[in-house]
């Protein structure tokens, strides 16, 4: 599939409206916590469990950016999931994934994997390199109660399959999920309706992006420094956007910068989490643990999207 790459034509009325539109304010800045996961992979946990209700339907965001192979070489050996979706997006490096029924693939720079754990599966993510930069993100997206036990499935999304466009000001927008300026992203999801954008802002550029009313939203700066709704958000910081009725968010950069813009419709359902299991009740968590101990996850059917 050829990359959908468009240059957005300048439209004076639309540009004027965007420039004058109110921007969501930044409710708070969050600096992620340094931690390790898997077999000692060093990463930054940005969206933590205490923010799950505020940023419903999103459960977690991990960012990893390591030059030292010792910080990532162990990868993430076999581990289970149930009840939610994981979205892995690579910026640099290569990661090989494998699941409990023999499916495997290779994620490279600019590629993504969208996996619905559903009723449960076991998978691994291991580096396919022994040196160099490894950088990317993993976002956890909740599933509504009625879909938590669907058959697991996944989709590997190569870089060329992620639509993108460039504005007249040189802003490059890659659309992993949702839609932007009339361009549909690689993935569409009912219920949570996620928006997941990778935005590259050249020095001196700006962008206004709409966010549907009622959706929870945040940004994460991973290069440079971005002015979000009039607030400076430096590298490795998340900005939680206020649900203040504004139609979108103003982004601007004085230096070359990059950030993620993520938004989604909240489910408003109870969240029960124990490690890699996210359900709605404690009893469902206990059942997940029993099923995993009994080996049911290993036999889970997996279908590709």
């Amino acid at each position: 599939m050829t990359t959908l790459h468009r240059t957005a034509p300048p439209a004076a009325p639309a540009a004027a409206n965007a420039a004058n539109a109110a921007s969501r304010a930044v409710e708070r800045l969050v600096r992620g916590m340094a931690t390790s996961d898997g077999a000692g992979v060093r990463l930054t946990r940005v969206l933590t469990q205490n923010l799950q209700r505020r940023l419903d339907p999103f459960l977690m965001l991990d960012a990893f950016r390591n030059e030292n192979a010792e910080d990532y070489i162990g990868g993430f050996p076999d581990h289970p999931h149930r009840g939610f979706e994981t979205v892995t997006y690579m910026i640099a490096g290569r990661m090989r994934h494998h699941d409990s029924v023999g499916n495997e693939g290779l994620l490279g720079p600019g590629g993504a994997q969208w996996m619905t754990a559903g009723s449960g599966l076991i998978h691994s993510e291991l580096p396919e390199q022994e040196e160099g930069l490894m950088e990317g993100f993993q976002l956890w997206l909740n599933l509504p109660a009625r879909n938590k036990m669907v058959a697991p499935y996944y989709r590997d999304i190569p870089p060329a399959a992620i639509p993108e466009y460039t504005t007249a000001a040189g802003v490059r927008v890659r659309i992993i999920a949702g839609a932007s300026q009339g361009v549909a992203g690689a993935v569409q999801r009912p219920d949570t309706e996620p928006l997941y954008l990778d935005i590259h802002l050249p020095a001196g550029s700006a962008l206004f992006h709409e966010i549907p009313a009622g959706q929870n939203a945040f940004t994460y700066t991973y290069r440079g420094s971005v002015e979000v709704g009039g607030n400076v958000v430096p590298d490795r910081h998340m900005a939680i956007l206020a649900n203040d009725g504004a139609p979108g968010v103003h982004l601007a950069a004085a230096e070359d910068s990059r950030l993620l813009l993520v938004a989604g419709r909240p489910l408003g359902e109870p969240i029960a989490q124990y490690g890699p299991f996210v359900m709605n009740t404690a009893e469902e968590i206990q059942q997940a643990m029993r099923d995993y101990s009994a080996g049911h996850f290993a036999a889970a059917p997996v279908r590709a999207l």
Side-chain angles (χ1 to χ4, degrees):
M1 178 176 179
T2 302
T3 303
L4 175 58
H5 191 284
R6 300 178 178 175
T7 299
N17 290 340
N20 296 324
S23 174
R24 287 199 186 198
V26 172
E27 181 177 297
R28 61 181 284 200
L29 292 182
V30 177
R31 183 179 177 88
M33 300 188 314
T35 186
S36 65
D37 209 337
V41 177
R42 293 191 180 183
L43 51 82
T44 300
R45 186 142 293 160
V46 184
L47 198 170
T48 52
Q49 203 162 343
N50 65 318
L51 292 173
Q52 289 176 347
R53 299 305 307 176
R54 172 62 187 86
L55 291 174
D56 178 16
F58 304 105
L59 300 164
M60 189 184 79
L61 175 66
D62 281 348
F64 50 93
R65 187 165 88 196
N66 302 314
E67 295 271 8
N68 184 354
E70 292 182 1
D71 292 341
Y72 62 73
I73 199 66
F76 304 90
D78 286 350
H79 57 284
H81 288 307
R82 172 179 278 187
F84 60 99
E85 302 186 281
T86 68
V87 187
T88 305
Y89 178 50
M90 297 295 293
I91 302 298
R94 289 153 43 101
M95 191 85 75
R96 170 95 37 199
H97 67 86
H98 184 277
D99 68 38
S100 49
V101 291
N103 297 290
E104 68 174 81
L106 181 64
L107 280 175
Q113 185 202 63
W114 197 289
M115 184 182 76
T116 301
S119 61
L121 83 171
I122 300 169
H123 76 142
S124 65
E125 299 151 300
L126 300 174
E128 190 111 325
Q129 63 187 65
E130 296 181 356
E131 60 181 16
L133 176 63
M134 177 74 72
E135 181 177 13
F137 309 94
Q138 187 169 93
L139 178 70
W140 288 15
L141 173 65
N142 208 358
L143 284 169
R146 67 178 181 277
N147 290 337
K148 284 188 174 292
M149 294 299 288
V150 299
Y153 53 91
Y154 68 88
R155 178 181 171 190
D156 284 337
I157 309 169
I162 297 178
E164 63 179 60
Y165 66 87
T166 302
T167 72
V171 178
R172 180 186 178 202
V173 180
R174 306 194 77 223
I175 313 162
I176 298 140
S180 177
Q181 305 295 341
V183 181
V187 174
Q188 307 299 319
R189 271 289 180 269
D191 302 310
T192 52
E193 301 173 2
L195 174 73
Y196 190 171
L197 306 179
D198 177 15
I199 302 173
H200 300 192
L201 292 160
S205 66
L207 178 74
F208 177 83
H209 202 284
E210 295 182 353
I211 300 172
Q215 288 199 354
N216 290 327
F218 65 89
T219 68
Y220 181 72
T221 303
Y222 71 94
R223 286 287 191 284
S225 181
V226 180
E227 187 176 294
V228 179
N231 293 265
V232 175
V233 182
D235 185 29
R236 304 194 191 207
H237 281 71
M238 175 172 72
I240 298 176
L241 303 183
N243 295 336
D244 53 14
V249 62
H250 282 288
L251 307 170
E255 59 180 311
D256 289 351
S257 302
R258 299 183 184 183
L259 77 158
L260 305 179
L261 172 60
V262 180
R265 187 167 73 84
L267 292 171
E269 297 178 346
I271 300 171
Q273 180 178 354
Y274 181 78
F277 309 133
V278 183
M279 304 301 288
N280 297 103
T281 68
E283 171 54 34
E284 290 171 338
I285 291 292
Q286 292 164 6
Q287 185 61 53
M289 295 171 65
R290 290 192 292 268
D291 290 346
Y292 176 56
S293 297
H296 296 325
F297 284 25
V302 178
R303 62 181 177 86
L305 276 176

